[in-house]
Amino acid sequence: MLFAMVHERPPLQWSDLPQMLVGWVQSAGGYAALGLVSWLVFSLFQRRSPSVQRDVGYASLGMVGMLLVHLLQRRSTPTSERWPAWLSGLFYGLAALAVTCYLINGVALAYGMLLGTVASSQIDSILLTVAGGAALLAVILPFAVELQRFRFRRIQGIAALSFREAVRSKVLWVFAFLPLILLFADWFLPHKPEDQLRTFVQFVQAAMGPLLLLPAAVIAAFGIPRDLKQQTIHTIVTKPVERFEIFLGRFLGGTLLMSIVLLAMTAFSLLYVGVHGVHPDAASASWRARVPIYGELSFRGRMSEGAGVKMREWGYRRHIAGGPSSNARAVWSFEALPARLDGRTSIPCEFRFDILRMSKSPQEGKGVFCTLAVETWQWQPEQQSLYERDLIRLQAEERGKPQPASPEELRQRLAGTFGYCEFPSKEVFDQATFSIDVPTALFQKAQEGYDKVRQDAAQRGVRPPPPLTVVVKCDSPTQFLGMASHDLYFVEDERSFGVNFFKCALGLWFRLCLMIGVATALSTYLSGVISLVTVLFLYGVGIKRQDLQNLAMNPAESGPADALYRLATRQPMTAKIESTATTQTASLFDEAFRWCLQHILGLFPDVDRFDLANYAAEGFNISGSTLLLCLLLLLGYVLPWVLLGFYSLKSREIAS
Amino acid sequence: MAETVIVETRNLSKVYRDFWGRQKKKALNALSFQIQRGEIFGLLGPNGSGKTTTIKLLLGLLYPTSGSAFVFGEDAANVRKNERVGYLPEESYLYRFLNAEETLDFYGRLFDMPGETRRKRAGELIDMVGLGHDKKRPLREYSKGMRQRIGLAQALINDPDLVILDEPTSGLDPLGARWMKDLILDLRKQGKTVLMCSHRLDDVQDVCDRIAILHDGVLQKLGRVSTLLQDVSRLELQASSVQLTEALRDELEAVFKRHGGRVDTVGHPTTTLEDLFLRIVADAKAHPGRRYQPGEEALDGGSAAEPETRVKKIERGT
């Protein structure tokens, strides 16, 4: 029995990073610009904060702000803190650039709307990115300037205080529940032997989540408000402590405490598995950490003939139509090949497909049949007849032998010669994982002379053919096979389950950092209870963020105004509605609604991205790049909150 | 440390507002004063007169609505000035789950003091405030007086040049109050500047060089204590080694009459209750089991403070 990772959306990859970064700069930069303008309004009406924040406000006026700031600077007291001229210039310049870009973008948008033309989305994107980047940098600059005044010893002192506070308030007793849960885990866990470890990992991760996240949120949300309420913070801020050091100390103290607890709980869970014992079936399924090599999926054949069509409304998989006459093929191109081939006769290729039946199977309990062909870059389709002739010849030779080789063995023998190996009529079932052994000779063949092919392609400025491809064809008529990039992969290696289990705990650690960071940032302005409720709300919505994202991004979906119009005029959802002033207004409203929803969603964390439990449960290695991408995602989300905390602490009157 | 003006406020005003920016209370109105180096300066006034607001503005805990405040010549909101400031809040708001040693170690870290210096200094300060036997007990088990002592120790951890004390004798028994006053006087001897506010007028009178009297956020009076308390319309004459008789009284009346005045009262002066109390306690310690006999003064130098509670000059940590 094999388990497979089921990705309901493409996992994060390095290639996604540039697009994610642009989106982040635009979104976070938009909030930064909003913050600058809000501060301006605030500081104009209530000038009770230090000079630096006041300048931030004025600078948000952009060009006009620069003039105002310089005028006011002349009148300011000589003792107030001043930046060097170049730093001030940089700050005002960035703020001015942000405002100018937003203004140009706004004018272009309004002009386009008036004339009924659409502005170039590329220019629009560049303007928004530049504006967002400039606004972000302007907001980060005061933080960066203050960063040089931070002292590790002070932060360490506050972190240690936070740690002691939590330990001495006996909050750690909450974690005594985990051993209790584990002791009675068997009551809840199913008894299918192969599922034992998988269910245990998922169960432990599910139990540890709320057990750690809730106390973490409580500790972080109440730390600073309690200090403010009990006025203990007065004895801290009257020392040479930068206010943000209090934030950092609280954050690090909480994170350190929860990290230790997480480490202990993970070690205890692993020890429990060791002592409790693992069923052999479960061990073969999950007590491993497979290192997969993924390829890039494309489709051959026409979409109208059923190649790469999206058959399910909410899925992200695409399907190929089955049948002898179908030309639809799914093709995985592998740029990377297993590095370690010595001493191995074959490399497993695992796959799992979504089956969509258009007619009932003639035989009860039968699956759908498909043919997989693994091809190297040397393989030419014209060689097909030659390959089949050789195969028939080998079969004839084998007939006379006492122990004739199976057709599969014969195909493997030919693999090295032709760079081609076919696995015909493999029966597959819906969402079940299967494996074929691809001969090592095929990989060796793929590597032969490939460097030269790559060099030639580079010289000609074209993309080289992939060294290896896997082509999948559905043999069963009227049936569809659904697939996504990560549904077929080679297993390069296997690693230790124990290490993988700890890596999987890092997913929870990321969520802990997120929870503590956001709760601490919120608590710099809000009361403890409100901070706690807010962070739980953000986290809760974050769990469903992807569904909301689909709602916002999918233009095919009807918006609220469109739905209301159809309801009022009694028109079905599928009917094409006539273009009138009302429907155009409704469409415009829906567009604006989607835009708002999309940007508001940036406030919520993409919690699912940090859930690595399935990797360990299904026996897949969590790669370093996956962890690094998760870390970047975490930083991208937490950094704006950190900045918010910085400004909130900096501007607030501690004793008011 | 060349500056002579340690604290300065110029038309300092503070208005408390609600969330919507509406005025709730004008706590301070155009306050201007200076505190010179080596002075003990007292802020006096009834509740709500703006004493604590002034202190909080000087410490950067509040921002002024208008006007400005400077400490060591720097804006009061500037964190760097805190390197040279020690602050004892009214209620000794300390972390009650820490013990005395941990408390001082924590505050030492906030001054970026190395471990060895922190430990040495914490030990000295704990001895100075007389908490050597209780240094391992969490602060929640401390009495009010003990918390005030450890509060003072944390205020002195950086050997500050300016010590700001908010109601330093609040909640202390007469012995503790006297100890605190002695310590404030010793701080002056060490060249430090002290700014204190207190409800206890006798404390202020005992230790302060200059005072400012506030009412409803407005400065009513500012000057030297001795000058402000002087009543030039009256004359006081004290004498010793002489019995009060009718003849003496008549002679004194005649003398004053000849100079155009009159004698209002002639009699024996009374001591303060605090002095009497301190003498009784000191006598009881010196002669256990014996009742206090008026006239047999056990005090040496007029102070009942414990020897170990005398303030020591401790070098600033590196």
Side-chain angles (χ1 to χ4, degrees):
Chain A
M1 179 77 183
L2 278 172
F3 294 143
M5 276 297 296
V6 182
H7 295 281
E8 289 309 327
R9 57 175 165 158
L12 282 180
Q13 288 174 39
W14 287 109
S15 53
D16 300 330
L17 206 60
Q19 200 189 344
M20 280 170 62
L21 193 66
V22 168
W24 180 79
V25 167
Q26 287 183 2
S27 190
Y31 283 112
L34 197 67
L36 279 171
V37 175
S38 307
W39 189 259
L40 164 74
V41 175
F42 181 79
S43 56
L44 279 179
F45 287 101
Q46 278 189 314
R47 235 189 280 168
R48 56 180 181 183
S49 48
S51 53
V52 174
Q53 280 94 48
R54 220 160 46 216
D55 295 347
V56 172
Y58 290 125
S60 63
L61 268 179
M63 298 294 188
V64 185
M66 285 171 74
L67 284 172
L68 264 175
V69 166
H70 286 300
L71 283 172
L72 283 166
Q73 266 185 323
R74 283 185 204 162
R75 287 165 45 193
S76 60
T77 53
T79 45
S80 60
E81 195 180 2
R82 287 269 155 257
W83 285 358
W86 69 269
L87 206 58
S88 312
L90 180 63
F91 175 76
Y92 305 137
L94 284 169
L97 178 65
V99 174
T100 312
C101 287
Y102 279 123
L103 281 176
I104 293 172
N105 188 252
V107 168
L109 199 69
Y111 188 70
M113 279 172 76
L114 281 175
L115 294 184
T117 57
V118 181
S120 161
S121 63
Q122 205 176 355
I123 294 174
D124 183 62
S125 173
I126 290 171
L127 276 172
L128 286 177
T129 310
V130 172
L136 259 180
L137 284 175
V139 169
I140 289 173
L141 202 61
F143 174 72
V145 169
E146 197 163 304
L147 212 61
Q148 62 179 334
R149 293 205 289 265
F150 290 178
R151 290 290 172 274
F152 178 69
R153 197 175 278 131
R154 291 199 288 257
I155 297 168
Q156 191 191 19
I158 297 169
L161 176 89
S162 190
F163 187 91
R164 276 199 184 114
E165 188 177 37
V167 171
R168 292 184 187 175
S169 63
K170 299 184 174 59
V171 75
L172 296 184
W173 282 107
V174 176
F175 306 117
F177 279 106
L178 184 75
L180 280 179
I181 290 171
L182 289 185
L183 285 176
F184 297 102
D186 280 345
W187 290 12
F188 313 107
L189 300 180
H191 294 283
K192 271 173 79 177
E194 69 268 22
D195 281 344
Q196 182 207 16
L197 194 59
R198 172 163 73 165
T199 315
F200 175 79
V201 172
Q202 286 169 340
F203 178 77
V204 164
Q205 287 290 315
M208 270 162 58
L211 213 55
L212 284 161
L213 290 170
L214 208 58
V218 171
I219 289 170
F222 283 89
I224 293 177
R226 196 190 302 114
D227 263 4
L228 285 164
K229 191 179 172 189
Q230 297 178 348
Q231 302 192 14
T232 40
I233 201 166
H234 290 194
T235 53
I236 296 178
V237 293
T238 51
K239 307 284 185 283
V241 175
E242 296 295 335
R243 299 228 173 142
F244 192 68
E245 288 177 330
I246 300 172
F247 178 102
L248 278 181
R250 284 279 171 192
F251 173 75
L252 291 177
T255 307
L256 179 70
L257 175 76
M258 299 316 292
S259 304
I260 291 171
V261 173
L262 174 65
L263 191 69
M265 283 168 102
T266 309
F268 178 80
S269 306
L270 200 61
L271 192 71
Y272 177 84
V273 174
V275 172
H276 195 256
V278 181
H279 192 279
D281 287 352
S284 69
S286 294
W287 190 262
R288 56 208 297 209
R290 286 168 281 176
V291 182
I293 296 180
Y294 293 110
E296 194 183 314
L297 175 64
S298 59
F299 293 93
R300 247 183 237 166
R302 286 188 189 161
M303 213 168 186
S304 58
E305 291 171 356
V309 284
K310 203 171 174 182
M311 303 290 285
R312 296 189 195 273
E313 192 181 3
W314 288 104
Y316 87 106
R317 288 182 168 72
R318 295 189 178 274
H319 293 73
I320 51 170
S325 60
S326 172
N327 291 323
R329 302 282 186 277
V331 182
W332 273 269
S333 308
F334 289 90
E335 296 292 342
L337 296 177
R340 194 174 59 82
L341 296 174
D342 299 340
R344 300 170 82 179
T345 54
S346 64
I347 304 289
C349 173
E350 295 177 359
F351 52 94
R352 171 192 174 107
F353 299 134
D354 168 41
I355 293 174
L356 187 88
R357 293 181 184 276
M358 302 302 281
S359 64
K360 197 178 171 189
S361 175
Q363 287 171 289
E364 198 66 38
K366 277 280 180 188
V368 167
F369 290 89
C370 65
T371 297
L372 293 96
V374 186
E375 307 169 357
T376 64
W377 63 274
Q378 295 99 335
W379 168 257
Q380 299 295 326
E382 298 80 45
Q383 291 175 289
Q384 186 74 37
S385 55
L386 198 63
Y387 172 80
E388 278 167 12
R389 198 190 64 195
D390 277 15
L391 193 63
I392 291 165
R393 181 177 53 78
L394 282 177
Q395 281 171 340
E397 284 172 11
E398 287 294 318
R399 258 185 224 119
K401 292 183 180 172
Q403 282 183 324
S406 68
E408 202 160 300
E409 284 172 330
L410 296 178
R411 285 192 190 94
Q412 291 188 0
R413 265 188 228 168
L414 287 178
T417 316
F418 285 90
Y420 179 81
C421 188
E422 195 177 66
F423 299 87
S425 301
K426 293 289 293 184
E427 188 182 11
V428 293
F429 294 90
D430 188 31
Q431 303 294 351
T433 305
F434 297 90
S435 177
I436 52 172
D437 288 328
V438 180
T440 316
L442 211 57
F443 295 94
Q444 286 161 343
K445 176 86 177 171
Q447 285 168 350
E448 280 171 18
Y450 188 69
D451 286 342
K452 191 170 181 316
V453 174
R454 194 181 281 153
Q455 282 166 7
D456 289 349
Q459 277 172 2
R460 282 184 288 137
V462 293
R463 197 177 169 188
L468 198 81
T469 51
V470 178
V471 181
V472 177
K473 172 181 173 286
C474 180
D475 299 330
S476 304
T478 70
Q479 313 291 10
F480 282 79
L481 279 185
M483 51 209 55
S485 245
H486 289 71
D487 286 344
L488 185 143
Y489 50 87
F490 290 110
V491 180
E492 183 182 23
D493 206 350
E494 286 203 4
R495 304 265 163 83
S496 147
F497 170 82
V499 175
N500 210 37
F501 190 65
F502 277 98
K503 284 190 202 168
C504 145
L506 274 176
L508 190 52
W509 186 79
F510 291 136
R511 280 175 281 164
L512 277 173
C513 291
L514 185 148
M515 194 70 115
I516 294 170
V518 176
T520 311
L522 288 169
S523 72
T524 57
Y525 185 75
L526 301 173
S527 70
V529 176
I530 303 294
S531 302
L532 180 66
V533 171
T534 311
V535 75
L536 291 179
F537 171 73
L538 288 171
Y539 188 87
V541 176
I543 293 171
K544 286 285 163 201
R545 188 180 187 269
Q546 187 54 36
D547 295 339
L548 293 169
Q549 182 87 24
N550 289 341
L551 196 70
M553 294 293 283
N554 192 350
E557 293 298 319
S558 167
D562 179 77
L564 194 68
Y565 177 78
R566 286 172 191 273
L567 202 67
T569 54
R570 296 182 179 177
Q571 292 192 57
M573 292 302 289
T574 47
K576 190 172 164 49
I577 52 172
E578 197 183 337
S579 175
T580 62
T582 315
T583 55
Q584 279 176 358
T585 311
S587 168
L588 203 67
F589 179 85
D590 286 343
E591 195 67 34
F593 172 76
R594 281 198 194 95
W595 187 88
C596 290
L597 192 62
Q598 200 181 329
H599 284 84
I600 289 171
L601 276 177
L603 290 173
F604 300 97
D606 197 350
V607 176
D608 268 357
R609 290 284 189 206
F610 304 112
D611 188 359
L612 305 175
N614 275 346
Y615 282 89
E618 311 290 2
F620 276 80
N621 182 54
I622 301 165
S623 67
S625 73
T626 303
L627 293 174
L628 204 58
L629 282 166
C630 282
L631 185 67
L632 287 176
L633 200 67
L634 173 76
L635 291 175
Y637 181 73
V638 172
L639 184 67
W641 288 104
V642 167
L643 288 172
L644 186 75
F646 168 76
Y647 282 107
S648 167
L649 258 186
K650 187 91 182 153
S651 59
R652 83 171 290 164
E653 291 187 309
I654 294 293
S656 66
Chain B
M1 290 234 297
E3 69 272 298
T4 53
V5 177
I6 302 297
V7 174
E8 182 179 10
T9 66
R10 293 180 201 157
N11 293 319
L12 190 64
S13 298
K14 177 67 190 172
V15 176
Y16 289 110
R17 296 181 190 277
D18 65 9
F19 180 79
W20 305 106
R22 292 174 301 193
Q23 180 171 330
K24 275 200 301 190
K25 182 177 166 36
K26 189 159 194 173
L28 214 56
N29 192 4
L31 177 68
S32 297
F33 68 87
Q34 286 187 342
I35 302 176
Q36 307 294 323
R37 192 144 76 92
E39 242 185 348
I40 300 179
F41 190 89
L43 279 174
L44 283 180
N47 285 341
S49 59
K51 304 184 299 290
T52 303
T53 299
T54 309
I55 284 184
K56 284 176 177 173
L57 285 164
L58 289 172
L59 287 164
L61 290 169
L62 291 174
Y63 300 131
T65 307
S66 64
S68 41
F70 304 100
V71 177
F72 299 116
E74 292 193 66
D75 194 301
N78 195 334
V79 173
R80 276 175 299 186
K81 63 132 189 4
N82 292 344
E83 293 275 2
R84 297 166 63 190
V85 177
Y87 170 54
L88 170 68
E90 182 182 354
E91 282 289 333
S92 286
Y93 300 114
L94 303 171
Y95 293 95
R96 299 192 173 199
F97 56 87
L98 298 178
N99 63 35
E101 271 184 341
E102 289 167 343
T103 299
L104 295 186
D105 185 73
F106 169 63
Y107 289 107
R109 277 175 194 267
L110 299 187
F111 282 99
D112 202 18
M113 291 162 71
E116 187 57 37
T117 316
R118 282 200 311 270
R119 277 186 289 279
K120 183 167 170 277
R121 185 137 183 80
E124 288 169 345
L125 284 166
I126 285 171
D127 287 344
M128 186 192 95
V129 297
L131 291 172
H133 296 297
D134 301 295
K135 61 184 179 186
K136 297 286 182 194
R137 284 169 59 195
L139 301 195
R140 64 171 162 268
E141 294 175 8
Y142 277 20
S143 68
K144 175 82 195 283
M146 290 162 87
R147 285 206 296 273
Q148 198 75 343
R149 283 166 187 251
I150 193 67
L152 186 72
Q154 68 79 26
L156 299 175
I157 189 91
N158 57 326
D159 192 18
D161 295 323
L162 169 66
V163 185
I164 298 178
L165 308 169
D166 193 357
E167 303 286 354
T169 53
S170 147
L172 294 180
D173 61 17
L175 273 175
R178 174 55 70 93
W179 169 83
M180 182 66 83
K181 285 189 280 188
D182 286 348
L183 191 138
I184 293 168
L185 292 169
D186 276 356
L187 288 174
R188 181 176 56 185
K189 278 183 203 159
Q190 292 169 24
K192 299 184 191 307
T193 309
V194 179
L195 166 62
M196 61 180 279
C197 72
S198 178
H199 283 113
R200 293 174 61 163
L201 305 182
D202 52 337
D203 291 348
V204 175
Q205 188 181 348
D206 284 351
V207 296
C208 288
D209 300 315
R210 284 199 309 140
I211 56 168
I213 300 173
L214 301 174
H215 186 263
D216 271 348
V218 179
L219 179 66
Q220 303 289 342
K221 205 79 182 169
L222 173 71
R224 298 201 73 79
V225 177
S226 52
T227 314
L228 290 175
L229 294 181
Q230 206 170 47
D231 184 356
V232 291
S233 65
R234 300 177 72 79
L235 194 68
E236 190 181 84
L237 183 72
Q238 287 200 356
S240 57
S241 307
V242 61
Q243 287 292 318
L244 180 62
T245 60
E246 279 301 314
L248 179 62
R249 189 189 294 270
D250 293 344
E251 275 183 49
L252 283 172
E253 279 180 356
V255 170
F256 281 102
K257 199 172 181 180
R258 208 164 48 236
H259 286 88
R262 70 169 192 278
V263 175
D264 290 336
T265 55
V266 178
H268 297 290
T270 53
T271 183
T272 61
L273 188 58
E274 184 194 7
D275 276 345
L276 178 67
F277 176 82
L278 294 173
R279 284 177 196 188
I280 291 171
V281 172
D283 185 68
K285 278 189 180 174
H287 306 100
R290 200 187 74 170
R291 289 190 66 171
Y292 173 67
Q293 300 294 318
E296 292 181 19
E297 305 199 346
L299 285 178
D300 179 19
S303 172
E306 296 293 324
E308 70 271 19
T309 61
R310 293 290 192 179
V311 71
K312 291 177 188 171
K313 168 82 175 117
I314 300 164
E315 291 305 313
R316 184 196 288 267
T318 52

